[in-house]
Amino acid sequence: MLACETGIDWRELFDTVREYSGIAQKRDIQLIPSQLGKACAHDFYPNGDDCAVLPNGDSYHLLAIEGFINRFVEEDPWFAGWCGVMVNVSDIAAMGGRPLAVVNALWSAGEDKAAQILAGMAAASSAFGVPIVGGHTNLRSQQTQLAVSILGQAKALLSGFAAKPGQAIVAAIDLRGAWRAPHLNWNAATAADPAQLRRFIALLPEIAESGLAVAAKDISQAGLLGTLTMLLESSQVGADIALTAIPKPENERWQDWLCAFPSFGYLLTTEFENVDALLARFHSCGIAAARIGEVTDTRRLNVTADHRQYCFWDLAHSALTGFGRPDRSNHL
């Protein structure tokens, strides 16, 4: 168990993390259920998970898309292209699926940035073993923009809607990496052995098919606490977690780490009798994994630090994505 940093005002730190732009961007999603309404309603699966789920006989097609912030694409076009593939692969894995193929939409003011983006996508496609099968390209745009979509297949689902009170919460993160400046992207992928990357991604569908986990989400730009809040909102539950149980590189600050987007990072819920077996799956591949808390019926995400409990988010009073239908206000 990691020691807490000394001399920290935890309430102020959690306020800072809560206001982090990655979480603020997730609140933009509230526009979708309010405006699309019935267009988002499916009889077979709710909208708002990491992937759209389309039943296909005794299995499921998974469909996901990621659009990237213009500043990120302009500042680091090669890595943006890499992430275009990686984060989509991660979304498929988070729902217990295996990636099948990728398409992209790329706009750029000329060939230079576009070529770097495509080089990053090609490198990630090769590393993860997922082909790029089509897309749209425009080299006469006023700015560089990128969106990437992916198709996957799952035999058994992990879902952000499936967490229930009494389940354990597990965090699994590859700590073998470093920051990719200037943003809080924890890069444990671009220099990794491709065979290792594919093995790591394969863990999630294996876990789903063996019944070792129930709910899952990959840790996104909203950071670990923001991602956990989204999972809890979808499932209409709460959680009590211990800060020092969260896997973290020894010398990194908690504020940075709680805002980090790790290249391999997942939150899962499972029955307590399956915790040891679930952790063993990750540990066998050198992935840091630990039980960090428990799902509750409070609809509050409570975090314990230095023997005190702090409420990070109260979903009964404040929505994040809006798919959880909070009781009253949409404001903190």
Side-chain angles (χ1 to χ4, degrees), residues 32-47:
I32 303 305
S34 67
Q35 292 299 314
L36 289 185
K38 293 181 179 180
C40 286
H42 301 298
D43 293 336
F44 48 86
Y45 200 82
N47 192 302

Side-chain angles (χ1 to χ4, degrees), residues 184-297:
L184 291 175
N185 295 317
W186 186 257
N187 177 21
T190 57
D193 178 1
Q196 175 178 281
L197 293 178
R198 298 179 194 187
R199 178 69 194 111
F200 290 175
I201 290 299
L203 284 171
L204 278 301
E206 292 170 3
I207 287 167
E209 290 159 15
S210 63
L212 288 179
V214 178
K217 262 194 176 307
D218 64 323
I219 300 172
S220 69
Q221 291 285 0
L224 187 145
L225 295 181
T227 300
L228 181 54
T229 301
M230 291 194 298
L231 188 157
L232 301 176
E233 182 179 35
S234 295
S235 293
Q236 295 286 275
V237 293
D240 292 339
I241 67 170
L243 184 80
T244 53
I246 297 170
K248 179 180 79 70
E250 184 175 357
N251 296 321
E252 302 301 332
R253 300 190 312 155
W254 277 112
Q255 181 173 314
D256 291 341
W257 192 242
L258 292 176
C259 294
F261 169 53
S263 57
F264 184 99
Y266 294 86
L267 296 169
L268 308 97
T269 74
T270 185
E271 304 302 331
F272 270 82
E273 60 265 27
N274 292 329
V275 168
D276 289 343
L278 178 59
L279 296 179
R281 292 289 183 108
F282 291 109
H283 294 162
S284 68
C285 291
I287 300 293
R291 179 173 68 84
I292 65 171
E294 181 175 349
V295 181
T296 69
D297 62 1

